[in-house]
Amino acid sequence: MNKPQPRTTRLHKPRRTVSIIGTGSYVPERILTNAELEKLVDTNDEWIVSRTGIKERRICAPGEHTSDMAAKAARAAMEKAGVTAEEIDMIIVGTITPDMSFPNTACLVQKLIGNKRAICFDLSAACSGFLYGLEIAQQFISSRACNTVLVIGADKLSGVVDWTDRNTCVLFGDGAGAAILRHRPGSHGVIHTTMGADGEFGEILHMPGGGSRLPVTKENIDEKHNTIKMSGKDVYKQAVTAMVSAANTALETAGLQTKDLACVIPHQANMRIIEAIGSRLGVGSDRVFVNLQRYGNTSAAAVAIALDEANRTGRMKQDDYILLVVFGGGLTWASSVIQW
Ligand code: UT7
């Protein structure tokens, strides 16, 4: 008996290169300064700036949600890429603060941008969500399963921060960043992405409530289970080690060295972490992109907003090599080497 033939020859075609053809970002208008935080908790501007580098962060307006920010970032990326909503085959939203359990945020974004044909899903990898999404997009496009993918990192951490906990409330902010990926002939595009995770350390950065284990009940809310818990020092150590290692692996796999990089765009959580990574990788501060002084840590959005700002301010030219590197709860981490 003859073997059944595959319905598509897609799998037999050579893999395609995948490029970021447009970026966009959005942050809410409302600025929350360190001086304002001094009125909420026992903290001060000097402590926050010297320990973290953060001067202010953005906070959603009442009625403004993760999907609203994500859709605004998406529209900006689509405009930059010259892509219409109907051309998008897949929407991935990296987020730990979806509007609701379901529908997923990607479906909400799909409706807001006016797309009817994309596959839509959220990706929960905390601050690593955008790069995890980038790699999934890369795989789907290079295998020819999709042509155009919209990847978004969006988080509204102001809704899950304990505003009485000075250890965490000074660190986080709201925002969204987006990228459109597609095959672009003549460029290497996303050359390699290294991804990793270690569930052993899950409890050093987590939000225990709101899921099936500690559902939304009055008691669980009173116990503040639906807010971010973090052991800052442990996260700090893990973040530096994991990001340096991921960046080195990504570079080695891509056959590049740090001297080849025009720009390094790290997760925006703490200036001291960023400096430690730069120094261990041997990359001077002039090649490291930083905007956390204005936005704080916006989780999955952080590296996506930074990528868009670096793009818009001309930090990389066409064909330059750049490196993105992220770390977040899970623990999760990732690093991408991209030819722009
Ligand atoms: O996206 C990934 C997620 N998170 C991160 O990457 C965060 C990683 N960790 C960090 O960025 C740092 O560990 C923090 C910024 C969170 C903390 O900095 P630290 O140098 O590790 O400070 P610490 O936690 O050791 O605290 C030092 C002191 C403590 O007081 P005592 O115990 O020495 O008296 C804290 O209670 O600073 C105190 N403190 C504060 N003081 C003023 C903690 N938060 C504050 C604050 N204002 N907001």
Side-chain angles (χ1 to χ4, degrees), residues 11-34:
L11 295 175
H12 306 294
K13 288 186 183 166
R15 294 171 80 79
R16 298 187 293 185
T17 55
V18 180
S19 293
I20 294 174
I21 61 162
T23 61
S25 61
Y26 170 81
V27 289
E29 271 175 39
R30 161 89 167 98
I31 295 173
L32 180 66
T33 63
N34 291 348

Side-chain angles (χ1 to χ4, degrees), residues 156-167:
K156 181 182 168 181
L157 293 180
S158 62
V160 293
V161 155
D162 175 357
W163 289 103
T164 65
D165 176 14
R166 70 175 182 173
N167 291 294

Side-chain angles (χ1 to χ4, degrees), residues 32-48 57 161-172 224:
L32 180 66
T33 63
N34 291 348
E36 286 174 272
L37 282 168
E38 286 177 16
K39 294 179 195 141
L40 285 181
V41 287
D42 180 14
T43 191
N44 57 76
D45 179 60
E46 195 281 326
W47 190 98
I48 302 172
R57 64 289 292 145
V161 155
D162 175 357
W163 289 103
T164 65
D165 176 14
R166 70 175 182 173
N167 291 294
T168 51
C169 76
V170 302
L171 304 174
F172 300 108
K224 297 191 173 173

Side-chain angles (χ1 to χ4, degrees), residues 117-156:
R117 55 185 287 265
I119 303 155
C120 298
F121 61 94
D122 287 3
L123 195 162
S124 175
C127 308
S128 307
F130 181 73
L131 283 201
Y132 268 47
L134 210 67
E135 175 60 4
I136 292 171
Q138 203 277 140
Q139 294 290 345
F140 270 84
I141 299 168
S142 68
S143 67
R144 294 165 194 268
C146 288
N147 279 321
T148 308
V149 179
L150 166 61
V151 182
I152 303 169
D155 269 308
K156 181 182 168 181

Side-chain angles (χ1 to χ4, degrees), residues 2 10 17 43 47 91 98 101 119 123 151 156 162 176 192 195 208 217 220 244 273:
N2 287 341
R10 178 170 82 202
T17 55
T43 191
W47 190 98
I91 303 173
S101 293
I119 303 155
L123 195 162
V151 182
K156 181 182 168 181
D162 175 357
H192 176 74
M195 302 194 290
T217 61
N220 286 335
V244 169
I273 294 178

Side-chain angles (χ1 to χ4, degrees), residues 21-25 72-83 150 178-180:
I21 61 162
T23 61
S25 61
K72 285 182 176 156
R75 281 201 201 94
M78 287 156 56
E79 197 180 322
K80 189 93 182 161
V83 161
L150 166 61
I180 305 274

